Amino acid sequence: MSTNQLDKKSEAWSALFSEPMSELVKRYTASVFFDKRLWLADITGSLAHAEMLAAQGIIGADDRASIERGMAQIRSEIEAGSFEWKLDLEDVHLNIEARLTQLVGDAGKRLHTGRSRNDQVATDVRLWLRSEIDLISDLLVELQTALVDVAEQNVEVILPGFTHLQVAQPVSFAHHLLAYVEMFARDAERMNDVRRRTNRLPLGSAALAGTTYPLDRERVAVTLGMVDEQGHPQVCQNSLDGVSDRDFAIEFTAAASLCMVHISRFSEELILWMSQNFGFVKIADRFTTGSSIMPQKKNPDVPELARGKTGRVVGHLMGLITLMKGQPLAYNKDNQEDKEPLFDTVDTLKDTLRIFAEMVGGQPNPATGQKEGGITVNAIAMEEAAKKGYATATDLADYLVKKGLPFRDAHETVAHAVKAATSHACDLSELPLTVLQGFNASIEKDVYECLSLRGSLNARNTLGGTAPAQVLSQIARHRVRLA
Ligand code: ARG
């Protein structure tokens, strides 16, 4: 085969075919216009493979040097935007290999020794996803830090905690935000876990059964950083599984879906909190848009879109998992369909995390280095809202229990008190002492302490509770963890 014969992929596999592929089939089967973003992983994997082939004496040192030279040139062409991606060459792998052969001749044709596109693509996707997971982990730290920063400013700010979206008990706004920090911390743990299973080497599985060349797969794994914490090479141990497994991608998309679900819940709260009926927070204008007809509107587009994009990521999870379900071993072309959902999941999650970190925590002012433009908290509106809906009713019940009443009786007694307060259109704390004593004679003046929002908050001083002392110690724990 002459060096320019690889211009057409049908010629990449020979004389066997008696007619050319139709344009429609070419377009239908090609992946280059989306998988070209794997180019760096493809080159990195190829260089590691070539290094090992030379070390094992399977190709010459001169071939390896030529391959490295050619790949360096290809890399600079791609970076400069001058590389010519050809639909005829189907995918990123054939495009790069064809150009390599054009540049360095026979050495380029030797690169594919002991390798198949099946183990090549599985390796590329893993390498690419590994570096994306690392970026996502950094963004998760940024978002958690932004939330902890806002929490720290709002430890003593009280808002109504809801169950069933009905006022339940007063909570610290910081405590509320730290609930999301817990969620994102678990998302980060999950990402880390997925990374471990992603960081394993399929290369050397060849098409499906392994290869006849004396490959050193562990050497390639070490070169590519596919090692565990102790530095031991991580190699897919079954060639059939190596080329066909995409559970790492499914698992990643599941972890990404959960993270988006957390973002979506937070978005829903921001949207509620921003509505005039709550008025708890404002987000900076740059995250909102106006209405073309109603001049007074500032719509929370960013949280709404994040809530909407969650559906799209969950959809990708469904797509990927369904893609796998009927596939016999080993590689099937179906797997080419793993890329677009995976890429879009990564793009959507990264953009969303980045925008939320900035929307919550603000951006550093270049002059002062201080972050500005994060969410603005309306502490008064939150506290006013907490005063509605008898948020301290449980506290009154707990007060009666401490006076010796069984909890169920205390619960019933307080229900009567709430009914009375409702008919007087006042809060429990506004009922005169004599009225309260009418419900239970053991009630004394100190009851007003426990009926106050702040008293209620301070009383929940157990691990994980909303008392400011607990919240402060959680903030300190997160600071150490996120440093
Ligand atoms: N573009 C293909 C993919 O994404 C590469 C592997 C092709 N292998 C094959 N035997 N046709 O999966």
Short mmCIF file of all heavy atoms in Angstrom, two decimals, residues 88-120:
data_model
loop_
_atom_site.label_atom_id
_atom_site.label_comp_id
_atom_site.label_asym_id
_atom_site.label_seq_id
_atom_site.Cartn_x
_atom_site.Cartn_y
_atom_site.Cartn_z
N ASP A 88 -14.02 10.63 5.10
CA ASP A 88 -13.68 9.37 4.45
C ASP A 88 -12.88 8.45 5.36
O ASP A 88 -12.87 7.24 5.18
CB ASP A 88 -12.86 9.64 3.19
CG ASP A 88 -13.76 9.81 1.98
OD1 ASP A 88 -14.91 9.31 2.03
OD2 ASP A 88 -13.33 10.46 1.01
N LEU A 89 -12.19 9.06 6.32
CA LEU A 89 -11.38 8.24 7.23
C LEU A 89 -12.14 7.90 8.52
O LEU A 89 -11.53 7.49 9.51
CB LEU A 89 -10.05 8.94 7.52
CG LEU A 89 -9.09 8.89 6.32
CD1 LEU A 89 -7.93 9.85 6.51
CD2 LEU A 89 -8.56 7.48 6.09
N GLU A 90 -13.41 8.07 8.50
CA GLU A 90 -14.34 7.58 9.53
C GLU A 90 -14.19 8.14 10.94
O GLU A 90 -15.12 8.71 11.48
CB GLU A 90 -14.32 6.05 9.60
CG GLU A 90 -15.44 5.51 10.48
CD GLU A 90 -15.46 3.99 10.57
OE1 GLU A 90 -15.78 3.36 9.55
OE2 GLU A 90 -15.17 3.45 11.64
N ASP A 91 -13.03 7.89 11.56
CA ASP A 91 -12.94 8.30 12.96
C ASP A 91 -11.59 8.93 13.28
O ASP A 91 -10.70 9.02 12.43
CB ASP A 91 -13.27 7.13 13.90
CG ASP A 91 -12.35 5.94 13.73
OD1 ASP A 91 -11.22 6.12 13.21
OD2 ASP A 91 -12.74 4.82 14.10
N VAL A 92 -11.46 9.35 14.53
CA VAL A 92 -10.24 10.04 14.96
C VAL A 92 -9.03 9.13 14.79
O VAL A 92 -7.94 9.58 14.40
CB VAL A 92 -10.40 10.53 16.43
CG1 VAL A 92 -10.67 9.37 17.40
CG2 VAL A 92 -9.19 11.34 16.89
N HIS A 93 -9.22 7.84 15.05
CA HIS A 93 -8.08 6.92 15.01
C HIS A 93 -7.51 6.79 13.61
O HIS A 93 -6.30 6.88 13.40
CB HIS A 93 -8.49 5.53 15.54
CG HIS A 93 -9.47 5.60 16.65
ND1 HIS A 93 -9.13 6.09 17.89
CD2 HIS A 93 -10.80 5.29 16.71
CE1 HIS A 93 -10.21 6.06 18.66
NE2 HIS A 93 -11.24 5.58 17.97
N LEU A 94 -8.40 6.56 12.63
CA LEU A 94 -7.93 6.38 11.25
C LEU A 94 -7.39 7.68 10.69
O LEU A 94 -6.44 7.68 9.90
CB LEU A 94 -9.05 5.82 10.37
CG LEU A 94 -9.47 4.37 10.68
CD1 LEU A 94 -10.61 3.94 9.78
CD2 LEU A 94 -8.29 3.41 10.52
N ASN A 95 -7.98 8.80 11.09
CA ASN A 95 -7.48 10.09 10.61
C ASN A 95 -6.05 10.34 11.07
O ASN A 95 -5.19 10.72 10.27
CB ASN A 95 -8.38 11.24 11.11
CG ASN A 95 -9.48 11.58 10.12
OD1 ASN A 95 -9.30 12.41 9.24
ND2 ASN A 95 -10.62 10.91 10.25
N ILE A 96 -5.80 10.07 12.34
CA ILE A 96 -4.45 10.34 12.86
C ILE A 96 -3.45 9.34 12.28
O ILE A 96 -2.36 9.69 11.86
CB ILE A 96 -4.46 10.34 14.41
CG1 ILE A 96 -5.22 11.59 14.90
CG2 ILE A 96 -3.04 10.30 14.97
CD1 ILE A 96 -5.32 11.73 16.40
N GLU A 97 -3.87 8.08 12.20
CA GLU A 97 -2.94 7.07 11.68
C GLU A 97 -2.60 7.34 10.21
O GLU A 97 -1.44 7.18 9.80
CB GLU A 97 -3.57 5.68 11.85
CG GLU A 97 -2.56 4.57 11.67
CD GLU A 97 -3.21 3.18 11.64
OE1 GLU A 97 -4.25 2.99 12.32
OE2 GLU A 97 -2.68 2.31 10.93
N ALA A 98 -3.60 7.76 9.45
CA ALA A 98 -3.35 8.02 8.03
C ALA A 98 -2.37 9.18 7.86
O ALA A 98 -1.45 9.14 7.04
CB ALA A 98 -4.66 8.33 7.31
N ARG A 99 -2.57 10.20 8.65
CA ARG A 99 -1.67 11.36 8.56
C ARG A 99 -0.26 10.97 9.01
O ARG A 99 0.73 11.40 8.42
CB ARG A 99 -2.22 12.50 9.44
CG ARG A 99 -1.37 13.75 9.49
CD ARG A 99 -1.35 14.49 8.16
NE ARG A 99 -0.50 15.66 8.22
CZ ARG A 99 0.33 16.05 7.25
NH1 ARG A 99 0.41 15.34 6.13
NH2 ARG A 99 1.05 17.14 7.37
N LEU A 100 -0.19 10.13 10.04
CA LEU A 100 1.12 9.67 10.53
C LEU A 100 1.86 8.94 9.41
O LEU A 100 3.05 9.18 9.18
CB LEU A 100 0.93 8.74 11.74
CG LEU A 100 2.22 8.23 12.38
CD1 LEU A 100 2.95 9.36 13.11
CD2 LEU A 100 1.92 7.08 13.36
N THR A 101 1.16 8.07 8.72
CA THR A 101 1.78 7.30 7.65
C THR A 101 2.22 8.22 6.51
O THR A 101 3.28 8.04 5.92
CB THR A 101 0.80 6.22 7.16
OG1 THR A 101 0.49 5.39 8.28
CG2 THR A 101 1.39 5.38 6.07
N GLN A 102 1.38 9.22 6.27
CA GLN A 102 1.74 10.20 5.24
C GLN A 102 3.05 10.92 5.63
O GLN A 102 3.90 11.17 4.81
CB GLN A 102 0.61 11.23 5.17
CG GLN A 102 0.41 11.89 3.84
CD GLN A 102 -0.84 12.77 3.92
OE1 GLN A 102 -0.98 13.59 4.84
NE2 GLN A 102 -1.72 12.62 2.96
N LEU A 103 3.19 11.19 6.94
CA LEU A 103 4.36 11.95 7.40
C LEU A 103 5.60 11.09 7.55
O LEU A 103 6.71 11.53 7.24
CB LEU A 103 4.05 12.62 8.76
CG LEU A 103 3.08 13.80 8.74
CD1 LEU A 103 2.66 14.17 10.16
CD2 LEU A 103 3.71 15.00 8.03
N VAL A 104 5.46 9.85 8.05
CA VAL A 104 6.67 9.08 8.39
C VAL A 104 6.75 7.73 7.68
O VAL A 104 7.65 6.95 7.96
CB VAL A 104 6.82 8.89 9.93
CG1 VAL A 104 6.82 10.23 10.64
CG2 VAL A 104 5.73 7.98 10.50
N GLY A 105 5.81 7.47 6.79
CA GLY A 105 5.91 6.26 5.97
C GLY A 105 5.69 4.97 6.76
O GLY A 105 4.82 4.92 7.64
N ASP A 106 6.50 3.96 6.50
CA ASP A 106 6.27 2.62 7.05
C ASP A 106 6.19 2.57 8.57
O ASP A 106 5.46 1.76 9.12
CB ASP A 106 7.38 1.66 6.57
CG ASP A 106 7.10 1.21 5.13
OD1 ASP A 106 6.03 1.59 4.58
OD2 ASP A 106 7.96 0.50 4.56
N ALA A 107 6.95 3.43 9.24
CA ALA A 107 6.89 3.43 10.72
C ALA A 107 5.45 3.68 11.17
O ALA A 107 4.98 3.05 12.13
CB ALA A 107 7.82 4.50 11.29
N GLY A 108 4.76 4.55 10.45
CA GLY A 108 3.37 4.85 10.77
C GLY A 108 2.50 3.62 10.62
O GLY A 108 1.57 3.39 11.41
N LYS A 109 2.81 2.82 9.63
CA LYS A 109 2.01 1.61 9.40
C LYS A 109 2.31 0.53 10.43
O LYS A 109 1.55 -0.41 10.60
CB LYS A 109 2.29 1.06 8.00
CG LYS A 109 1.82 1.97 6.88
CD LYS A 109 1.92 1.21 5.58
CE LYS A 109 2.27 2.12 4.41
NZ LYS A 109 2.81 1.36 3.28
N ARG A 110 3.48 0.65 11.09
CA ARG A 110 3.84 -0.36 12.11
C ARG A 110 3.16 -0.09 13.46
O ARG A 110 3.10 -0.96 14.30
CB ARG A 110 5.36 -0.39 12.31
CG ARG A 110 6.08 -0.89 11.09
CD ARG A 110 7.46 -1.48 11.37
NE ARG A 110 7.92 -2.10 10.14
CZ ARG A 110 8.75 -1.50 9.29
NH1 ARG A 110 9.25 -0.31 9.57
NH2 ARG A 110 9.08 -2.11 8.17
N LEU A 111 2.69 1.16 13.63
CA LEU A 111 2.09 1.53 14.92
C LEU A 111 0.94 0.61 15.33
O LEU A 111 0.76 0.32 16.51
CB LEU A 111 1.60 3.00 14.86
CG LEU A 111 0.80 3.50 16.05
CD1 LEU A 111 1.63 3.46 17.34
CD2 LEU A 111 0.31 4.93 15.81
N HIS A 112 0.19 0.16 14.37
CA HIS A 112 -1.02 -0.61 14.69
C HIS A 112 -0.73 -2.08 15.01
O HIS A 112 -1.64 -2.87 15.22
CB HIS A 112 -2.03 -0.48 13.55
CG HIS A 112 -3.46 -0.51 14.01
ND1 HIS A 112 -3.94 0.31 15.01
CD2 HIS A 112 -4.54 -1.27 13.62
CE1 HIS A 112 -5.24 0.06 15.20
NE2 HIS A 112 -5.62 -0.90 14.37
N THR A 113 0.57 -2.44 15.09
CA THR A 113 0.94 -3.82 15.42
C THR A 113 0.44 -4.19 16.82
O THR A 113 0.67 -3.45 17.78
CB THR A 113 2.49 -3.97 15.41
OG1 THR A 113 3.00 -3.34 14.21
CG2 THR A 113 2.91 -5.43 15.46
N GLY A 114 -0.24 -5.30 16.91
CA GLY A 114 -0.70 -5.78 18.23
C GLY A 114 -1.82 -4.95 18.82
O GLY A 114 -2.05 -4.97 20.03
N ARG A 115 -2.50 -4.20 17.98
CA ARG A 115 -3.54 -3.31 18.48
C ARG A 115 -4.71 -3.33 17.51
O ARG A 115 -4.53 -3.66 16.33
CB ARG A 115 -2.93 -1.90 18.54
CG ARG A 115 -3.84 -0.81 19.00
CD ARG A 115 -3.10 0.51 19.11
NE ARG A 115 -3.13 1.26 17.86
CZ ARG A 115 -2.84 2.55 17.74
NH1 ARG A 115 -2.45 3.24 18.80
NH2 ARG A 115 -2.89 3.15 16.57
N SER A 116 -5.87 -2.98 18.01
CA SER A 116 -7.06 -2.88 17.16
C SER A 116 -7.72 -1.56 17.52
O SER A 116 -7.47 -1.01 18.60
CB SER A 116 -7.98 -4.06 17.48
OG SER A 116 -9.33 -3.69 17.30
N ARG A 117 -8.57 -1.06 16.65
CA ARG A 117 -9.29 0.15 17.06
C ARG A 117 -10.21 -0.15 18.25
O ARG A 117 -10.60 0.75 18.97
CB ARG A 117 -10.11 0.71 15.89
CG ARG A 117 -9.29 1.61 14.98
CD ARG A 117 -10.18 2.29 13.98
NE ARG A 117 -10.88 1.32 13.17
CZ ARG A 117 -12.03 1.53 12.55
NH1 ARG A 117 -12.62 2.70 12.65
NH2 ARG A 117 -12.60 0.60 11.82
N ASN A 118 -10.51 -1.43 18.44
CA ASN A 118 -11.42 -1.76 19.55
C ASN A 118 -10.78 -1.48 20.91
O ASN A 118 -11.41 -0.88 21.78
CB ASN A 118 -11.84 -3.23 19.47
CG ASN A 118 -12.60 -3.53 18.19
OD1 ASN A 118 -12.94 -2.61 17.44
ND2 ASN A 118 -12.87 -4.80 17.93
N ASP A 119 -9.53 -1.92 21.08
CA ASP A 119 -8.89 -1.61 22.37
C ASP A 119 -8.38 -0.17 22.38
O ASP A 119 -8.29 0.47 23.42
CB ASP A 119 -7.78 -2.61 22.74
CG ASP A 119 -6.70 -2.79 21.70
OD1 ASP A 119 -6.90 -2.35 20.54
OD2 ASP A 119 -5.65 -3.39 22.02
N GLN A 120 -8.11 0.36 21.17
CA GLN A 120 -7.64 1.75 21.07
C GLN A 120 -8.73 2.73 21.54
O GLN A 120 -8.48 3.61 22.36
CB GLN A 120 -7.25 2.02 19.62
CG GLN A 120 -6.58 3.35 19.39
CD GLN A 120 -6.21 3.54 17.91
OE1 GLN A 120 -6.37 2.63 17.08
NE2 GLN A 120 -5.68 4.70 17.58
#
